[in-house]
Amino acid sequence: MNTQTLTRRPAVLALCEGALLIALAEILSMYPLYKMPWGGSIDLAMLPIFIYCVRWGFGPGMIASLAHAVLQTLMEGGIAIGWESIIGDFLVAYVVLGFAGLFWKMKGGFFIGATVGCVLRFLVHYVVGATIWASSMPEEFFGMTMTTPWFYSALYNGFYMVIDWAAIMVIGFLLVKTPAKKYLRPHA
Protein backbone atom coordinates (compact mmCIF):
# COMPACT_ATOMS: atom_id res chain seq x y z
CA MET A 1 0.00 0.00 0.00
CA ASN A 2 1.47 3.39 -0.92
CA THR A 3 1.64 6.41 1.38
CA GLN A 4 -1.01 8.34 -0.50
CA THR A 5 -3.57 5.55 0.01
CA LEU A 6 -2.86 5.48 3.75
CA THR A 7 -3.34 9.22 4.15
CA ARG A 8 -6.65 9.18 2.30
CA ARG A 9 -8.10 6.24 4.18
CA PRO A 10 -9.05 8.09 7.41
CA ALA A 11 -10.82 10.79 5.40
CA VAL A 12 -12.81 8.21 3.47
CA LEU A 13 -13.62 6.36 6.66
CA ALA A 14 -14.74 9.60 8.34
CA LEU A 15 -16.91 10.46 5.35
CA CYS A 16 -18.55 7.02 5.20
CA GLU A 17 -19.09 6.84 8.94
CA GLY A 18 -20.52 10.36 8.90
CA ALA A 19 -22.95 9.50 6.12
CA LEU A 20 -24.16 6.40 7.95
CA LEU A 21 -24.58 8.15 11.30
CA ILE A 22 -26.34 11.15 9.75
CA ALA A 23 -28.70 8.75 7.95
CA LEU A 24 -29.33 6.95 11.25
CA ALA A 25 -30.04 10.30 12.95
CA GLU A 26 -32.59 11.15 10.25
CA ILE A 27 -34.28 7.76 10.61
CA LEU A 28 -34.44 8.13 14.40
CA SER A 29 -35.95 11.60 14.06
CA MET A 30 -38.77 10.16 11.94
CA TYR A 31 -39.86 7.91 14.82
CA PRO A 32 -40.21 10.14 17.87
CA LEU A 33 -41.38 8.70 21.15
CA TYR A 34 -43.36 11.88 21.76
CA LYS A 35 -43.94 14.97 19.62
CA MET A 36 -44.64 18.37 21.16
CA PRO A 37 -47.55 20.37 19.71
CA TRP A 38 -45.44 23.31 18.38
CA GLY A 39 -42.29 21.42 17.43
CA GLY A 40 -39.67 19.55 19.38
CA SER A 41 -39.83 15.87 20.14
CA ILE A 42 -38.45 13.16 22.35
CA ASP A 43 -36.28 10.98 20.14
CA LEU A 44 -32.76 9.60 19.87
CA ALA A 45 -31.71 11.50 16.74
CA MET A 46 -28.88 13.34 18.50
CA LEU A 47 -27.19 10.10 19.63
CA PRO A 48 -25.55 9.22 16.28
CA ILE A 49 -24.42 12.82 15.82
CA PHE A 50 -22.75 12.83 19.24
CA ILE A 51 -21.10 9.48 18.51
CA TYR A 52 -19.66 10.88 15.29
CA CYS A 53 -18.48 14.09 16.96
CA VAL A 54 -16.69 12.20 19.72
CA ARG A 55 -15.06 9.81 17.24
CA TRP A 56 -13.82 12.40 14.75
CA GLY A 57 -13.53 15.72 16.61
CA PHE A 58 -14.73 19.27 16.25
CA GLY A 59 -14.23 20.02 12.54
CA PRO A 60 -15.79 16.86 11.13
CA GLY A 61 -18.42 17.00 13.90
CA MET A 62 -19.47 20.49 12.86
CA ILE A 63 -19.74 19.40 9.22
CA ALA A 64 -21.87 16.40 10.19
CA SER A 65 -24.02 18.60 12.44
CA LEU A 66 -24.51 21.08 9.60
CA ALA A 67 -25.57 18.25 7.27
CA HIS A 68 -27.97 17.00 9.95
CA ALA A 69 -29.30 20.55 10.44
CA VAL A 70 -30.00 20.99 6.73
CA LEU A 71 -31.70 17.60 6.52
CA GLN A 72 -33.79 18.35 9.60
CA THR A 73 -34.83 21.65 8.03
CA LEU A 74 -35.84 19.96 4.79
CA MET A 75 -37.26 16.65 6.00
CA GLU A 76 -38.60 17.17 9.48
CA GLY A 77 -41.73 18.97 8.39
CA GLY A 78 -41.21 21.14 11.44
CA ILE A 79 -43.29 24.02 12.53
CA ALA A 80 -41.94 27.49 11.86
CA ILE A 81 -43.42 30.98 11.95
CA GLY A 82 -40.95 32.61 9.64
CA TRP A 83 -37.40 32.48 8.40
CA GLU A 84 -36.10 33.45 11.84
CA SER A 85 -37.52 30.35 13.47
CA ILE A 86 -36.28 28.17 10.60
CA ILE A 87 -32.75 29.50 11.10
CA GLY A 88 -32.93 29.33 14.90
CA ASP A 89 -34.95 26.19 15.60
CA PHE A 90 -33.44 24.12 12.82
CA LEU A 91 -30.14 25.34 11.42
CA VAL A 92 -28.51 26.87 14.50
CA ALA A 93 -30.07 24.47 17.02
CA TYR A 94 -28.73 21.40 15.22
CA VAL A 95 -25.37 22.84 14.18
CA VAL A 96 -24.42 23.50 17.82
CA LEU A 97 -24.49 19.74 18.42
CA GLY A 98 -21.09 19.69 16.70
CA PHE A 99 -19.51 21.35 19.74
CA ALA A 100 -19.55 17.86 21.28
CA GLY A 101 -16.50 17.25 19.11
CA LEU A 102 -14.44 19.59 21.30
CA PHE A 103 -14.32 16.82 23.91
CA TRP A 104 -13.35 13.95 21.61
CA LYS A 105 -10.01 13.12 23.23
CA MET A 106 -11.09 13.60 26.83
CA LYS A 107 -11.89 10.78 29.21
CA GLY A 108 -15.69 10.65 29.32
CA GLY A 109 -15.75 12.81 26.19
CA PHE A 110 -18.99 11.30 24.94
CA PHE A 111 -20.86 12.22 28.12
CA ILE A 112 -19.35 15.69 28.40
CA GLY A 113 -19.80 16.40 24.69
CA ALA A 114 -23.38 15.15 24.61
CA THR A 115 -24.21 17.25 27.67
CA VAL A 116 -22.65 20.37 26.14
CA GLY A 117 -24.42 19.71 22.82
CA CYS A 118 -27.79 19.27 24.54
CA VAL A 119 -27.33 22.39 26.68
CA LEU A 120 -26.39 24.48 23.64
CA ARG A 121 -29.33 23.16 21.64
CA PHE A 122 -31.66 23.90 24.57
CA LEU A 123 -30.29 27.45 24.83
CA VAL A 124 -30.95 28.10 21.15
CA HIS A 125 -34.52 26.76 21.38
CA TYR A 126 -35.01 28.67 24.63
CA VAL A 127 -34.05 32.04 23.12
CA VAL A 128 -35.98 31.40 19.89
CA GLY A 129 -39.00 30.26 21.91
CA ALA A 130 -38.96 33.28 24.21
CA THR A 131 -38.49 35.81 21.42
CA ILE A 132 -39.83 34.59 18.09
CA TRP A 133 -42.50 32.25 19.46
CA ALA A 134 -43.56 34.60 22.30
CA SER A 135 -46.80 35.54 20.55
CA SER A 136 -47.85 31.87 20.56
CA MET A 137 -47.51 31.45 24.32
CA PRO A 138 -50.65 29.86 25.79
CA GLU A 139 -52.28 31.20 28.92
CA GLU A 140 -51.73 27.85 30.64
CA PHE A 141 -49.10 25.15 30.15
CA PHE A 142 -48.52 22.02 32.28
CA GLY A 143 -51.31 23.25 34.53
CA MET A 144 -49.51 26.52 35.28
CA THR A 145 -50.47 30.04 34.30
CA MET A 146 -47.91 31.46 31.88
CA THR A 147 -46.96 35.06 32.54
CA THR A 148 -43.66 35.37 30.68
CA PRO A 149 -42.45 33.81 27.43
CA TRP A 150 -39.05 33.13 29.03
CA PHE A 151 -40.58 30.84 31.64
CA TYR A 152 -42.85 29.21 29.07
CA SER A 153 -39.94 28.60 26.70
CA ALA A 154 -37.87 27.08 29.52
CA LEU A 155 -40.69 24.68 30.40
CA TYR A 156 -41.61 23.81 26.83
CA ASN A 157 -38.10 23.24 25.51
CA GLY A 158 -36.70 21.91 28.76
CA PHE A 159 -39.34 19.18 28.87
CA TYR A 160 -38.20 17.33 25.76
CA MET A 161 -34.51 18.33 25.89
CA VAL A 162 -33.97 16.98 29.42
CA ILE A 163 -35.63 13.70 28.48
CA ASP A 164 -33.55 13.47 25.27
CA TRP A 165 -30.36 14.18 27.24
CA ALA A 166 -31.23 11.59 29.92
CA ALA A 167 -31.98 8.92 27.31
CA ILE A 168 -28.67 9.60 25.53
CA MET A 169 -26.79 9.38 28.84
CA VAL A 170 -28.45 6.06 29.72
CA ILE A 171 -27.77 4.57 26.28
CA GLY A 172 -24.17 5.85 26.42
CA PHE A 173 -23.73 4.27 29.84
CA LEU A 174 -25.12 0.97 28.56
CA LEU A 175 -22.84 1.09 25.51
CA VAL A 176 -19.79 1.69 27.70
CA LYS A 177 -20.55 -1.62 29.43
CA THR A 178 -20.43 -3.56 26.13
CA PRO A 179 -17.91 -4.17 23.35
CA ALA A 180 -19.62 -1.29 21.51
CA LYS A 181 -17.75 1.11 23.84
CA LYS A 182 -15.10 1.45 21.14
CA TYR A 183 -17.60 3.58 19.19
CA LEU A 184 -17.72 6.14 21.99
CA ARG A 185 -13.97 6.77 21.73
CA PRO A 186 -11.91 8.73 19.22
CA HIS A 187 -11.19 6.96 15.98
CA ALA A 188 -7.79 5.31 16.18
Side-chain angles (χ1 to χ4, degrees):
M1 208 177 260
N2 66 31
T3 323
Q4 194 174 25
T5 305
L6 289 175
T7 49
R8 286 188 190 164
R9 187 168 178 225
V12 172
L13 186 58
L15 185 63
C16 292
E17 198 171 299
L20 289 171
L21 289 172
I22 292 166
L24 179 59
E26 296 313 310
I27 291 167
L28 289 171
S29 75
M30 291 180 193
Y31 298 99
L33 302 172
Y34 179 78
K35 202 153 184 72
M36 299 290 285
W38 293 106
S41 60
I42 297 170
D43 60 39
L44 298 174
M46 291 186 293
L47 179 64
I49 301 301
F50 290 142
I51 290 172
Y52 184 79
C53 291
V54 169
R55 287 184 51 75
W56 292 98
F58 181 71
M62 289 302 282
I63 293 169
S65 295
L66 175 61
H68 178 57
V70 170
L71 289 171
Q72 283 293 296
T73 304
L74 297 174
M75 295 174 56
E76 178 68 19
I79 299 167
I81 55 173
W83 64 269
E84 300 94 342
S85 66
I86 292 170
I87 290 172
D89 279 331
F90 286 96
L91 294 176
V92 176
Y94 288 101
V95 166
V96 299
L97 300 178
F99 281 93
L102 289 172
F103 307 94
W104 74 307
K105 290 194 175 180
M106 293 177 68
K107 183 176 178 159
F110 172 80
F111 299 101
I112 297 166
T115 299
V116 167
C118 286
V119 167
L120 290 174
R121 181 176 165 204
F122 165 77
L123 289 173
V124 172
H125 288 308
Y126 173 63
V127 171
V128 170
T131 56
I132 297 168
W133 286 91
S135 62
S136 300
M137 180 181 78
E139 290 183 24
E140 188 176 289
F141 186 68
F142 284 150
M144 295 180 269
T145 303
M146 296 292 109
T147 57
T148 171
W150 293 97
F151 182 65
Y152 168 65
S153 184
L155 282 177
Y156 186 96
N157 294 298
F159 173 74
Y160 66 89
M161 285 302 304
V162 167
I163 295 171
D164 278 355
W165 170 80
I168 288 168
M169 292 295 111
V170 168
I171 291 170
F173 179 76
L174 294 173
L175 288 174
V176 166
K177 302 296 182 190
T178 70
K181 67 184 170 192
K182 67 182 179 183
Y183 297 113
L184 299 181
R185 292 192 211 128
H187 172 73

